[in-house]
Amino acid sequence: MFKTRLISGILLVAAALLTIITGGAVLWTVLLCISVIGAEELYRAMDVHKNGFGLLETAACLGILLYYGAAALDFGRYGMMAVILALILILFVYVFTYPKYDARQIAAAFLGIVYVAVMLSYIYLTRNLENGHFIVWLIFLCSWGCDTCAYCVGMLIGKHKMAPVLSPKKSVEGAVGGVIGAALLGVAYAAATKGPMAEYAVICAAGALISMVGDLAASAVKRNQGIKDYGKLIPGHGGILDRFDSVIITAPVIYYMAVLLLRH
């Protein structure tokens, strides 16, 4: 199991490196595909898919495509418009197929668009910022770096449970270690890329703190729905949402903090 997880992890990092370094249409296409797959994982978990792929999921996928098209054209001008149109599409399905879908399924369908597609698109938007080819890596550095540091510190000195019911293995000491570790990684990354050390440290620390919320939120959904993993796409890691649960919520935070602190 460890060997499978290690190999798939290495391949995942290599694919991320290649895709993000390339940027542009390649990154846009990959994120669109990941968003659709991730949304489908959420729909299976939250019973949107319980009667098979239907009109509601079709409308949601069209909404995701519509949003990504808007993000590529002009996010500031068309992004929110696309999200609203996606909601209208879903409501059309709700109304004209009633009572096929209930309100919880409709809410889950819209959640898939916002929580998965919109949030993940901020990787693309961050990559497109000035110096975005450097800044975008802060998303992964703080989320995955925090996860690793928190695990190590928690294993060594963790005593106080952070969320005993939701995630018994996570500790307050581990969380603090994760945030500090992410900040130090930000400083090291700034030194390596000649970036602003204080700003990168603050961005990574804040991103790390938020990433833990993303991780726990994804766990909460799984516990509510009684599932272990969202999918089996990535051997040893689960599905897209299992691997990108912290990245999803971190990406927009890094984008806006970069805009505010780095004056783009």
Side-chain angles (χ1 to χ4, degrees), residues 24-37:
V26 172
L27 179 58
W28 182 90
T29 303
V30 170
L31 285 174
L32 172 60
C33 294
I34 288 175
S35 294
V36 171
I37 295 169

Side-chain angles (χ1 to χ4, degrees), residues 115 119 143 146 162-163 166 170 175 179 206-221 244-250 253:
Y115 172 62
M119 302 288 265
S143 55
C146 172
M162 183 170 67
L166 182 57
K170 295 187 185 298
V179 173
L209 193 61
I210 297 298
S211 75
M212 289 184 280
V213 176
D215 184 17
L216 291 170
S219 296
V221 172
F244 289 88
D245 51 6
S246 58
V247 172
I248 284 173
I249 197 170
T250 304
V253 172

